[in-house]
Amino acid sequence: MHRSNGHNTPLLQVRGLRKYFPVRRGMLQKTVSFLKAVDGVDFDIDQGQTLGLVGESGCGKTTVARLLLHLLSADAGEIRYKNQNLVNLTERQFKPLRHEIQIVFQDPYSSLNPRMTVGASIGEGVRVAGIADRIARQKRITQLLDMVGMPTASADRYPHEFSGGQRQRVGIARALSVDPALIICDEPVSALDVSIQAQIINLLKDLQKELNLSYLFISHDLNVVSYLCNRVCVMYQGKIVEAAPAADLFDQPRHPYTHTLLASILEPGSAAAAGHPSDNGPTERQPPATLQTCAYYDQCPHASPVCAQSESGLVQVAPDHFVRCHQQE
């Protein structure tokens, strides 16, 4: 899936990204198969834009994040950040780039050191960013707290003294402390109350506009994704099955799995939910074990014999809209 954005080279380009985990059994722990966590994933993220990566738990979203952060080694593919391939870099070579790609975690409490004050946690990043002078560092910590809507006095308090939403604000401030260009948001609001989620999402939007940040927003909450993201990729069993501008994907979903996801949030009778294939539950069938079948074959009510014989590639069905489905070819 190679799309043209009509502008400069994207900040991040991912091509053919793959990560398989061996499945071992028996006393000798022999490898009997592989779990294809990420299986040939392509996407771009433009400067100042947000890409949503959605799908059910276990589809490979978080593995993609770990590969981008160099926490896992890719088996194949390219991760080009500012046109530099990160895949084959050693940890020493990647270290100067680490401050440019940051992450905001799902659970803000577990991601903060309970023995460190908020100021000390943020201060570590400020020091890494090159501000060594104590007074200048304190000024930067105060500035970061103000940017995320936290009072200056918060710097002297510990994580357990704050609510979940406040802790997530601290986590965002810590990510910003090293002046990143790309922030990976891994389910950043799923652990928060609904009323607080909106505040954090609006904060992320405001910061993006102010600092020209780029986001990879990983989520299963499509309401949040539709509000925040410019473009959306839908993952299923390690593959991108649909990719489109957010408005197009929500208005005219093409893949049966995307219909399934959208029908869980949309009102009955809406455009995307109309004719939804799984209203009466998924269709279960067993694919032939000897053939390369579509990963969604055993759930799709529109599956045909060709779906049992081969898997479709990503095909362009509209401008900048790609689908992995034989029915769309």
Side-chain angles (χ1 to χ4, degrees):
M1 178 183 64
H2 299 271
R3 68 187 184 88
S4 174
N5 57 20
H7 303 291
N8 297 324
T9 302
L11 178 70
L12 183 77
Q13 296 173 289
V14 174
R15 296 289 181 267
L17 190 61
R18 184 187 302 165
K19 182 64 180 179
Y20 293 177
F21 294 102
V23 178
R24 297 185 172 91
R25 292 178 182 168
M27 292 182 61
L28 299 179
Q29 289 294 286
K30 288 186 177 181
T31 299
V32 296
S33 63
F34 288 90
L35 173 63
K36 299 179 179 181
V38 178
D39 193 15
V41 165
D42 297 355
F43 60 80
D44 295 342
I45 301 179
D46 297 330
Q47 183 69 52
Q49 299 290 298
T50 301
L51 174 71
L53 191 59
V54 304
E56 62 195 32
S57 297
C59 71
K61 306 186 301 294
T62 297
T63 302
V64 169
R66 291 175 178 172
L67 291 168
L68 298 183
L69 291 163
H70 226 251
L71 300 177
L72 290 173
S73 298
D75 295 331
E78 291 186 346
I79 301 171
R80 302 195 74 86
Y81 174 75
K82 294 183 177 178
N83 216 25
Q84 179 182 5
N85 190 6
L86 309 181
V87 167
N88 295 321
L89 297 184
T90 64
E91 182 57 34
R92 175 181 246 177
Q93 291 170 326
F94 184 76
K95 189 174 181 180
L97 295 170
R98 191 169 290 283
H99 74 280
E100 296 194 37
I101 306 175
Q102 287 293 296
I103 185 168
V104 175
F105 294 97
Q106 176 179 4
D107 184 353
Y109 187 67
S110 63
S111 64
L112 295 170
N113 189 333
R115 297 183 179 182
M116 295 177 66
T117 63
V118 162
S121 291
I122 299 173
E124 283 190 325
V126 173
R127 187 167 56 252
V128 169
I131 302 178
D133 179 75
R134 185 179 65 83
I135 295 177
R137 192 161 63 239
Q138 189 60 45
K139 183 177 179 180
R140 177 60 174 162
I141 293 170
T142 299
Q143 180 188 29
L144 287 165
L145 288 171
D146 182 64
M147 287 173 64
V148 299
M150 295 290 287
T152 302
S154 303
D156 298 323
R157 297 168 62 186
Y158 290 86
H160 73 269
E161 299 180 67
F162 297 100
S163 66
Q166 290 172 322
R167 286 195 289 262
Q168 194 60 288
R169 290 175 185 270
V170 172
I172 294 169
R174 187 178 60 175
L176 293 174
S177 66
V178 290
D179 297 320
L182 172 65
I183 296 180
I184 298 171
C185 302
D186 189 2
E187 302 274 9
V189 297
S190 63
L192 306 177
D193 293 339
V194 174
S195 60
I196 305 301
Q197 288 182 9
Q199 297 177 20
I200 299 300
I201 292 301
N202 286 325
L203 172 62
L204 290 171
K205 288 195 69 144
D206 291 343
L207 291 171
Q208 182 176 50
K209 184 176 180 180
E210 179 181 351
L211 303 174
N212 197 29
L213 295 169
S214 300
Y215 295 138
L216 173 62
F217 193 86
I218 297 172
S219 181
H220 64 269
D221 189 333
L222 295 178
N223 285 314
V224 172
V225 169
S226 66
Y227 176 71
L228 185 67
C229 299
N230 306 101
R231 184 171 176 79
V232 181
C233 290
V234 180
M235 281 193 76
Y236 183 77
Q237 292 192 12
K239 294 180 183 289
I240 302 292
V241 296
E242 186 162 5
D248 292 351
L249 185 130
F250 282 88
D251 289 342
Q252 291 187 311
R254 300 296 190 94
H255 196 279
Y257 178 64
T258 309
H259 277 279
T260 301
L261 291 179
L262 292 179
S264 66
I265 65 164
L266 297 175
E267 292 295 327
S270 65
H276 171 246
S278 297
D279 287 336
N280 297 319
T283 300
E284 295 185 1
R285 59 173 66 83
Q286 291 300 318
T290 58
L291 299 176
Q292 178 64 42
T293 62
C294 170
Y296 199 59
Y297 175 82
D298 62 340
Q299 298 289 315
C300 180
H302 301 307
S304 63
V306 69
C307 303
Q309 297 169 7
S310 65
E311 184 176 49
S312 171
L314 277 169
V315 295
Q316 186 167 353
V317 295
D320 212 13
H321 193 151
F322 300 83
V323 181
R324 189 184 300 277
C325 182
H326 283 299
Q327 304 302 320
Q328 300 293 332
E329 294 177 352

